[in-house]
């Protein structure tokens, strides 16, 4: 049956549908397939979406399975048990654990061996950065901060790696005895452009001496890490547009918090910090970006695994425990529970991501360039 709607009206309707529906609608006809697959349509859909869907992605540490979880959907919905195949080869017997280094505009950055993978779980699009300069420089003795973000000024996605090397620091203690401490010293910053396939390396003594074990967060055009330096604990951020670092102070009372039990996130357009322990979960929300006094705290009774702001504006928490997943509201009241099992017992890593139709650009490889900068936190 021929549609009575004009093509312009059809496009406007499709632009306002969720990603899940649009992926299915590619099968309707060739013209819909061409439209929904178009990169400009994907950008317009991302920018116009009035109620974007955010999901929690779980990937088993062995890399054998991935599962997206919609905070807004019922745990008893059929979509909850959907499994995805990660974009890398089936892991071998002694494969290292898969690591997630954040998400950006629907993409997830994953590291396995020395390779990086950019993956859109909503569409299946992926790009492997294998044998790149990034992977070659990653030595086992190095420690590093890794992040992934988008520069709107150049319409480019960047993998950002800040390397630190171990060095010996001989000192004399109060008794006059010689001693040696092993410290970390930030060595260089590497920016890898996915649009041009080019590598930019920045060296110098004025890079931030920070180290982090937390998962990075891309928010407000900057990559954020929970980081520690010389007796200081802050949120270290890298501005993707201006290519400079800056710091955000933690909420009062969180200056010595254990980062292993913390996670950065965003809720309702605000930066947030979740601190999990056995008795309660504290959710700190920065109402005004970069304003220390705007931190406010919500408390959820009991330990939860992940927290998100639902589409209706309410706080929703998930907890994975003994083969079950449970959903709570911000008062700690149990909303739903269901069985949740996996054949892979190696554990999993998680990340929040927004559904999108986007794909990253793929340019021609250029020779790496090295630039040195001497001003504090400037690149």
């Amino acid at each position: 049956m021929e549609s009575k709607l004009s093509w312009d009206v059809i496009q406007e309707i499709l632009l306002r549908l969720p990603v899940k529906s649009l992926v299915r609608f590619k099968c309707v006809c060739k013209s819909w397939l061409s439209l929904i697959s178009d990169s400009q349509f994907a950008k317009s859909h991302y920018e116009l979406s009035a109620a974007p869907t955010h999901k929690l992605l779980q990937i088993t540490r062995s890399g054998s399975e991935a599962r997206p979880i919609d905070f807004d959907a019922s745990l008893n919905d059929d979509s909850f048990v959907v499994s995805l195949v990660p974009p890398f080869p089936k892991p071998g017997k002694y494969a290292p654990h898969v690591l997630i280094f954040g998400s950006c505009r629907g993409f997830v950055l994953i590291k396995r061996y020395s390779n990086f993978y950019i993956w859109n779980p909503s569409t299946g699009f992926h790009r492997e950065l294998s044998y790149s300069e990034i992977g070659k420089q990653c030595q086992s003795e190095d420690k590093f901060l890794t992040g992934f973000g988008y520069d709107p000024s150049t319409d480019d996605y960047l993998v950002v790696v800040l390397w630190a090397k171990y060095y010996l620091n001989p000192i004399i203690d109060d008794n006059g005895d010689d001693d040696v401490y092993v410290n970390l010293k930030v060595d260089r910053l590497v920016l890898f452009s996915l649009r041009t396939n080019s590598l930019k390396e920045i060296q110098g003594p004025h890079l931030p001496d920070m180290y982090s074990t937390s998962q990075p967060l891309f928010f407000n055009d900057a990559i954020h890490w929970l980081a520690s330096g010389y007796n200081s604990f802050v949120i270290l951020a890298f501005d993707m547009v201006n290519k400079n670092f800056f710091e955000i102070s933690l909420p009062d009372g969180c200056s010595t918090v254990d980062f292993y039990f913390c996670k950065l996130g965003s809720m309702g357009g605000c930066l947030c910090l979740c601190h999990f322990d056995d008795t309660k979960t504290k959710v700190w929300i920065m109402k005004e970006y970069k304003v220390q006094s705007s931190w406010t705290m919500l408390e959820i009774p009991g330990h939860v695994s992940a927290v998100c702001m639902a589409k209706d504006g309410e706080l929703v928490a998930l907890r994975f425990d003994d083969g079950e997943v449970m959903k709570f509201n911000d008062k700690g009241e149990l909303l739903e529970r269901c069985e949740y099992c996996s054949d892979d017992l190696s554990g999993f890593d998680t990340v929040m991501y927004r559904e999108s139709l986007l794909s990253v650009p793929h340019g021609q490889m250029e020779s790496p360039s090295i630039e040195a900068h001497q001003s504090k936190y400037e690149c």
Side-chain angles (χ1 to χ4, degrees):
M1 180 183 299
E2 185 178 352
S3 172
K4 296 182 180 180
L5 298 175
S6 69
W7 182 239
D8 289 341
V9 173
I10 291 176
Q11 291 184 68
E12 289 299 317
I13 294 174
L14 293 178
L15 280 171
R16 285 155 179 80
L17 294 180
V19 171
K20 182 179 179 180
S21 299
L22 291 172
V23 171
R24 294 203 311 267
F25 290 166
K26 285 184 176 183
C27 301
V28 171
C29 60
K30 289 183 178 180
S31 59
W32 283 31
L33 170 63
S34 177
L35 174 66
I36 297 171
S37 302
D38 182 71
S39 60
Q40 188 55 52
F41 178 88
K43 290 181 181 179
S44 299
H45 180 269
Y46 186 87
E47 294 167 358
L48 292 174
S49 180
T53 300
H54 292 83
K55 291 188 175 183
L56 177 74
L57 181 69
Q58 287 188 309
I59 301 181
T60 54
R61 293 195 182 277
S62 68
S64 63
E65 182 184 10
R67 291 184 178 185
I69 298 174
D70 187 347
F71 278 79
D72 291 293
S74 169
L75 297 183
N76 298 308
D77 189 279
D78 291 341
S79 63
F80 175 72
V81 297
V82 171
S83 293
L84 303 176
V85 179
F88 30 74
K90 187 175 181 180
K93 184 177 180 181
Y94 301 105
H97 282 174
V98 168
L99 299 175
I100 299 177
F101 287 110
S103 66
C104 169
R105 293 167 61 85
F107 302 104
V108 178
L109 177 64
I110 305 169
K111 181 177 179 292
R112 184 165 177 262
Y113 295 106
S114 60
N115 296 345
F116 289 91
Y117 298 84
I118 311 296
W119 182 36
N120 185 333
S122 304
T123 64
F125 172 90
H126 70 275
R127 178 175 166 190
E128 180 182 358
L129 306 180
S130 60
Y131 305 106
S132 67
E133 291 297 324
I134 300 175
K136 289 177 182 178
Q137 293 191 57
C138 185
Q139 304 298 323
S140 60
E141 68 271 15
D142 290 347
K143 295 293 183 181
F144 54 90
L145 278 72
T146 303
F148 175 57
Y150 175 74
D151 180 356
S153 67
T154 58
D155 189 25
D156 194 9
Y157 295 85
L158 301 175
V159 177
V160 178
V161 186
L162 188 65
W163 263 280
K165 283 188 174 293
Y166 288 110
Y167 72 99
L168 300 181
N169 182 25
I171 65 171
I172 299 177
D173 62 22
D174 294 338
N175 297 322
D177 298 326
D178 293 338
D179 205 346
V180 175
Y181 283 84
V182 179
N183 289 335
L184 285 169
K185 178 67 177 177
V186 172
D187 173 74
R188 62 195 183 278
L189 172 70
V190 172
L191 307 176
F192 184 82
S193 163
L194 272 73
R195 174 168 291 282
T196 64
N197 263 355
S198 63
L199 183 73
K200 180 179 180 180
E201 182 174 338
I202 299 163
Q203 299 175 331
H206 300 290
L207 293 173
D209 274 335
M210 296 282 180
Y211 177 62
S212 174
T213 57
S214 73
Q215 188 181 95
L217 170 74
F218 179 72
F219 173 79
N220 205 33
D221 295 337
I223 302 173
H224 300 71
W225 298 269
L226 282 170
S228 60
Y230 295 107
N231 299 319
S232 64
F233 298 85
V234 299
I235 297 173
L236 177 68
F238 180 73
D239 188 312
M240 296 293 291
V241 176
N242 297 314
K243 306 298 186 294
N244 66 284
F245 288 93
F246 60 92
E247 297 177 7
I248 298 175
S249 298
L250 295 176
D252 293 338
C254 290
S255 59
T256 59
V257 72
D258 189 341
F259 289 165
Y260 183 78
F261 300 103
C262 292
K263 198 161 192 176
L264 287 172
S266 61
M267 294 184 191
C270 298
L271 180 69
C272 70
L273 168 66
C274 296
H275 180 217
F276 312 105
D277 63 29
D278 292 334
T279 60
K280 60 185 175 299
T281 299
K282 293 182 179 180
V283 183
W284 294 90
I285 300 175
M286 184 174 252
K287 295 292 187 178
E288 189 174 349
Y289 189 56
K290 295 185 182 181
V291 177
Q292 169 71 10
S293 60
S294 70
W295 282 111
T296 59
M297 192 265 286
L298 298 173
E299 194 168 278
I300 301 174
H303 171 83
V304 299
S305 306
V307 183
C308 180
M309 188 79 76
K311 288 180 180 178
D312 58 8
E314 292 186 352
L315 212 62
V316 178
L318 296 180
R319 183 170 78 205
F320 301 90
D321 189 26
D322 297 329
E324 280 189 320
V325 59
M326 291 160 276
K327 181 185 286 188
F328 301 85
N329 61 16
D330 57 1
K331 299 178 180 61
E333 298 169 341
L334 180 65
L335 301 177
E336 288 182 294
R337 70 194 307 161
C338 73
E339 292 186 4
Y340 182 81
C341 300
S342 174
D343 295 333
D344 193 324
L345 302 178
S346 65
F348 52 82
D349 204 359
T350 62
V351 68
M352 291 293 300
Y353 73 99
R354 174 181 167 178
E355 286 195 318
S356 81
L357 295 167
L358 296 168
S359 57
V360 296
H362 195 298
Q364 298 298 317
M365 188 65 184
E366 298 177 0
S367 299
S369 61
I370 298 177
E371 298 185 15
H373 296 257
Q374 297 300 318
S375 60
K376 176 178 171 61
Y377 288 9
E378 290 291 334
C379 301

